[in-house]
Amino acid sequence: MSGGGLLVAGTTSDAGKSVVTAGICRWLVRQGVKVAPFKAQNMSLNSFVTREGAEIGRAQAMQAQACRVEPTALMNPVLLKPGGERSSQVVLMGRPVGEMSARGYHGGRQERLLGTVLDCLERLRGTYDAVICEGAGSPAEINLRRTDIVNMGIARNAGLPVLVVGDIDRGGVFASFFGTVALLSPEDQALVAGFLVNKFRGDVSLLEPGLDMLHGLTGRRTYGVLPFRHGLGIDEEDGLRVSLRGTVRESQVAAPVGEDVLRVAVCAVPLMSNFTDVDALAAEPGVVVRFVDRPEELADADLVVVPGTRGTVRALEWLRERGLADALRRRAAEGRPVLGICGGFQVLGEHIEDDVESRRGQVEGLGVLPVRVRFAREKTLTRPSGEALGEPVEGYEIHHGVAEVLGGEAFLDGCRVGQTWGTHWHGSLESDAFRRAFLREVARAAGRRFVPAPDTSFAALREEQLDRLGDLIEQHADTDALWRLIESGAPTGLPFISPGAPA
């Protein structure tokens, strides 16, 4: 017998689907329910490697953590990694299967993946008591409905009730709720059980008349009003805009243990991937993290991070155009700390031979690390572990570039020269003892009297964040009604709202 299920859809992108899904998952697992997350198709540059070596969205890895289960490729069978405005790498069941334009994908490829997606969902429902699915964008994107496999397409085929989340902080939430339902077909509308208001500020009693009117207009109830909370954007999906509001960077910087703070500048390269690498730095008391795009902003930084990117050669050109390349070379020559991660490591090398990602052939790098990079068609997807700076460390690798290290001092899989460090390892800074040792080196080189806190646990902070999400659901949603939805499906007899989907 299949377990229960629910699809968390949204009126827009960034309405809060990822965090609401994680919150429902954490609430359920605290009730003793065996639960798993699922997102049929994810578009994100923020990805993770499972223990079996599959690449999935980091949001689903975070949701698996909320469920207290190990993430697998079943939880995110299709991942799209943008390589520009019009094309993406398609990752199927954790492995890249090629580049495709948006027109080509929506023109037929997406529809053919429906069987794979439904099989993954059914396998999860056969193993877990409940599967909480996350939609993408809005279910009312009428231009994409025919080939949809992530919103109403999956809900219809799997018989899932749908909860629509709206971000009231943006305004227009009532119109968004009504319009979302009214642009769906009668068959799709029959699965939309109701609404969840996200990011509300103020007195809920002032909102209640509107919720009553919305119920009168649609015949659908509101299952909860979640208050606005800072710092809940855990491992969201994409972009600098999200990362600047993300997990711990949104919180106030705690007072330093030593006499000085440590300033970290992150180069906001195009197609930035796995920007969550710096969350662990921002979790440290006294560490101030900011994203920058001008050379002047590197002047007072104690550490500059060049992060991962889906477009290494494009990022290199961007660094040169902005004057950041020269600033990074000067920093390296002066012995001021620079850390390159994945694509950021590659740009610091001598040259890049790329006939795969950019197809630009041989391109000169910044030349501050003795490294040569050749792009391979096969993607490296691993979960390495080891020791560095005398401390245990683990991470994960997601890259086409193969680095030949020709000198310097060994550092993880890469090298360091003076105070310039480079590695392909994402997530290494989440290893607490290693992060503290690295920050002590940075502080010494920068001449700062900064002392890492002795007891910061990034894993514990992440658990606290997930518990806060669970608390939001438990305290501000009708959990009995939510469980009835998960267990029994959408209520019968929900009214049709005109005009419905266009022919």
Side-chain angles (χ1 to χ4, degrees), residues 53-136:
E55 184 179 9
I56 66 171
R58 265 199 76 107
Q60 280 61 67
M62 174 270 292
Q63 290 160 357
Q65 186 177 347
C67 297
R68 298 181 178 138
V69 298
E70 192 67 34
T72 74
L74 292 175
M75 298 170 184
N76 179 208
V78 182
L79 173 64
L80 305 178
K81 302 194 74 176
E85 293 295 323
R86 297 188 178 182
S87 69
S88 294
Q89 182 180 67
V90 181
V91 179
L92 179 62
M93 295 303 295
R95 293 286 170 181
V97 293
E99 295 280 333
M100 187 165 287
S101 69
R103 181 181 292 274
Y105 184 69
H106 290 287
R109 177 63 183 269
Q110 182 182 32
E111 225 171 347
R112 293 196 295 273
L113 294 173
L114 180 60
T116 299
V117 162
L118 289 171
D119 178 64
C120 290
L121 176 56
E122 192 55 35
R123 288 168 66 185
L124 288 173
R125 293 180 78 179
T127 304
Y128 293 89
D129 302 327
V131 178
I132 307 304
C133 308
E134 180 189 343

Side-chain angles (χ1 to χ4, degrees), residues 251-307:
S251 345
Q252 291 185 344
V253 176
V257 174
E259 296 178 47
D260 288 343
V261 298
L262 209 63
R263 295 172 177 83
V264 178
V266 184
C267 296
V269 296
L271 298 173
M272 180 168 49
S273 61
N274 290 74
F275 49 78
T276 48
D277 281 333
V278 298
D279 282 345
L281 293 178
E284 284 286 347
V287 175
V288 182
V289 176
R290 68 182 189 273
F291 285 79
V292 304
D293 60 4
R294 296 182 301 182
E296 310 90 81
E297 296 175 292
L298 304 189
D300 68 342
D302 303 307
L303 169 67
V304 173
V305 177
V306 189

Side-chain angles (χ1 to χ4, degrees), residues 229-401:
R229 291 286 187 268
H230 284 282
L232 292 180
I234 302 177
D235 286 4
E236 292 194 68
E237 291 178 350
D238 241 336
L240 179 60
R241 179 175 58 86
V242 172
S243 71
L244 284 171
R245 270 204 332 274
T247 320
V248 282
R249 276 160 285 157
E250 195 179 65
S251 345
Q252 291 185 344
V253 176
V257 174
E259 296 178 47
D260 288 343
V261 298
L262 209 63
R263 295 172 177 83
V264 178
V266 184
C267 296
V269 296
L271 298 173
M272 180 168 49
S273 61
N274 290 74
F275 49 78
T276 48
D277 281 333
V278 298
D279 282 345
L281 293 178
E284 284 286 347
V287 175
V288 182
V289 176
R290 68 182 189 273
F291 285 79
V292 304
D293 60 4
R294 296 182 301 182
E296 310 90 81
E297 296 175 292
L298 304 189
D300 68 342
D302 303 307
L303 169 67
V304 173
V305 177
V306 189
T309 172
R310 172 81 168 85
T312 301
V313 170
R314 181 175 167 187
L316 189 54
E317 292 170 343
W318 181 87
L319 290 168
R320 288 185 168 123
E321 289 164 3
R322 296 279 177 143
L324 287 160
D326 289 338
L328 287 167
R329 285 196 194 94
R330 284 195 299 272
R331 284 188 69 91
E334 294 165 1
R336 301 179 67 199
V338 176
L339 172 64
I341 302 174
C342 200
F345 165 42
Q346 294 167 8
V347 304
L348 296 176
E350 295 173 0
H351 72 247
I352 298 165
E353 188 179 329
D354 181 11
D355 294 317
V356 175
E357 192 174 78
S358 70
R359 298 182 175 86
R360 293 283 296 276
Q362 187 160 309
V363 178
E364 293 303 308
L366 299 188
V368 295
L369 287 177
V371 173
R372 295 175 184 170
V373 176
R374 177 185 55 82
F375 272 64
R377 297 200 177 277
E378 188 73 20
K379 182 184 280 191
T380 297
L381 295 168
T382 62
R383 289 273 293 268
S385 61
E387 184 177 295
L389 303 179
E391 302 292 351
V393 58
E394 58 185 36
Y396 57 100
E397 295 185 47
I398 305 170
H399 54 92
H400 283 280

Side-chain angles (χ1 to χ4, degrees), residues 6-11 138-140 145 148 151-153 155-156 159-166 176-196 214-215 217-223 485 489-497:
L6 174 70
L7 176 71
V8 178
T11 55
S138 161
R145 176 62 185 91
D148 170 49
N151 290 307
M152 300 313 299
R156 280 271 291 279
L160 295 172
V162 179
L163 183 69
V164 180
V165 177
S176 297
F177 281 145
F178 182 88
T180 296
V181 179
L183 282 176
L184 301 179
S185 69
E187 295 83 2
D188 286 351
Q189 286 194 24
L191 293 172
V192 178
F195 313 107
L196 186 76
L214 182 67
H215 184 270
L217 288 165
T218 67
R220 289 157 175 86
R221 57 167 299 179
T222 298
Y223 284 76
L485 272 188
T492 57
L494 293 168
F496 171 71
I497 308 302

